[in-house]
Amino acid sequence: DQQVKQNSPSLSVQEGRISILNCDYTNSMFDYFLWYKKYPAEGPTFLISISSIKDKNEDGRFTVFLNKSAKHLSLHIVPSQPGDSAVYFCAASGGLYNAGNMLTFGGGTRLMVKP
Amino acid sequence: ETGVTQSPTHLIKTRGQQVTLRCSSQSGHNTVSWYQQALGQGPQFIFQYYREEENGRGNFPPRFSGLQFPNYSSELNVNALELDDSALYLCASSRKAGVPNTQYFGPGTRLTVL
């Protein structure tokens, strides 16, 4: 049972345009959400996070939106740059039966930003 | 501030062998988590260590075991290796267990089991 899903395996965007990456979750006990970026042969790099008490968090070109009623979050990158090309993972934590801050990851979305 | 480091970078083992992977946490962090990332999938939680004790475990068999040392570094041991254990093993550190917190990942160890 996949508790965190990224339904788009890949996304292609033109440089300068907006990239929107989506993530859905099923466990209503999740209370903290994160986005990571991963280049080949490297570990995931933390991008941005959001707590369930908020519905939006911004950091420079990156904005994460959380819709708790829909159990959906999205990452917006504006403007997109070729260096943003990577695999993006959505992750969630929290819950009564969740030990500490264990992260549950989605399957990832490969973003390609074309010059 | 030094980041999370892992060793070795790559490892090739045969079925039935045992392997030990190592991780040094980011300075100031006292919690270490281990994840397995199979090809084309997201990382899956193996276990977490806090104050040298296991603080939670994912759906992995007992042949996956770990240790955390007083300096917060950690080891992941896998016994009786199987072909399906071939994956990228990621270590992540964070400041404190039990509260929402951001985990910072190392570069990973690529394990190939032949």
Side-chain angles (χ1 to χ4, degrees):
Chain A
D1 175 31
Q2 257 192 304
Q3 296 188 65
V4 179
K5 286 185 183 178
Q6 295 175 255
N7 291 317
S8 299
S10 64
L11 175 68
S12 184
V13 170
Q14 206 66 33
E15 181 180 4
R17 306 296 291 268
I18 184 171
S19 294
I20 300 176
L21 296 98
N22 294 304
C23 178
D24 296 297
Y25 62 96
T26 56
N27 189 340
S28 57
M29 299 300 287
F30 286 143
D31 55 14
Y32 188 62
F33 304 88
L34 308 91
W35 285 93
Y36 286 87
K37 177 170 73 173
K38 188 177 185 301
Y39 294 117
E42 292 185 13
T45 302
F46 168 70
L47 271 177
I48 192 169
S49 62
I50 188 167
S51 163
S52 58
I53 62 173
K54 295 184 175 181
D55 54 19
K56 179 182 173 182
N57 189 27
E58 285 181 84
D59 185 0
R61 296 186 298 116
F62 302 93
T63 303
V64 56
F65 295 92
L66 175 61
N67 183 335
K68 288 188 292 292
S69 60
K71 294 191 179 66
H72 177 84
L73 65 156
S74 61
L75 174 68
H76 293 208
I77 306 174
V78 183
S80 300
Q81 299 172 355
D84 295 331
S85 297
V87 177
Y88 288 77
F89 290 100
C90 165
S93 74
L96 187 63
Y97 301 106
N98 190 327
N101 57 349
M102 157 191 157
L103 297 179
T104 302
F105 281 85
T109 296
R110 182 176 300 279
L111 174 66
M112 292 163 285
V113 181
K114 298 178 181 176
Chain B
E1 185 179 82
T2 53
V4 179
T5 60
Q6 293 185 243
S7 63
T9 307
H10 297 90
L11 206 49
I12 299 176
K13 292 284 188 178
T14 56
R15 270 189 308 174
Q17 285 190 309
Q18 178 266 343
V19 70
T20 297
L21 311 181
R22 294 178 174 83
C23 170
S24 291
S25 60
Q26 187 168 313
S27 59
H29 288 183
N30 56 14
T31 302
V32 172
S33 303
W34 286 91
Y35 293 82
Q36 180 196 67
Q37 186 180 14
L39 205 59
Q41 297 181 21
Q44 282 204 301
F45 176 73
I46 302 174
F47 44 54
Q48 183 181 88
Y49 277 83
Y50 173 59
R51 291 185 174 175
E52 301 177 52
E53 291 193 359
E54 191 177 286
N55 187 50
R57 189 177 185 92
N59 190 24
F60 281 81
R63 59 189 184 85
F64 285 78
S65 62
L67 283 173
Q68 186 181 31
F69 301 99
N71 66 354
Y72 307 124
S73 66
S74 177
E75 283 182 357
L76 164 65
N77 299 292
V78 187
N79 293 322
L81 283 167
E82 301 176 359
L83 296 178
D84 284 349
D85 296 333
S86 295
L88 180 68
Y89 288 85
L90 295 162
C91 167
S93 73
S94 52
R95 281 197 178 83
K96 185 179 177 182
V99 293
N101 209 317
T102 300
Q103 296 184 18
Y104 295 89
F105 285 82
T109 294
R110 171 72 61 188
L111 172 65
T112 302
V113 182
L114 302 176

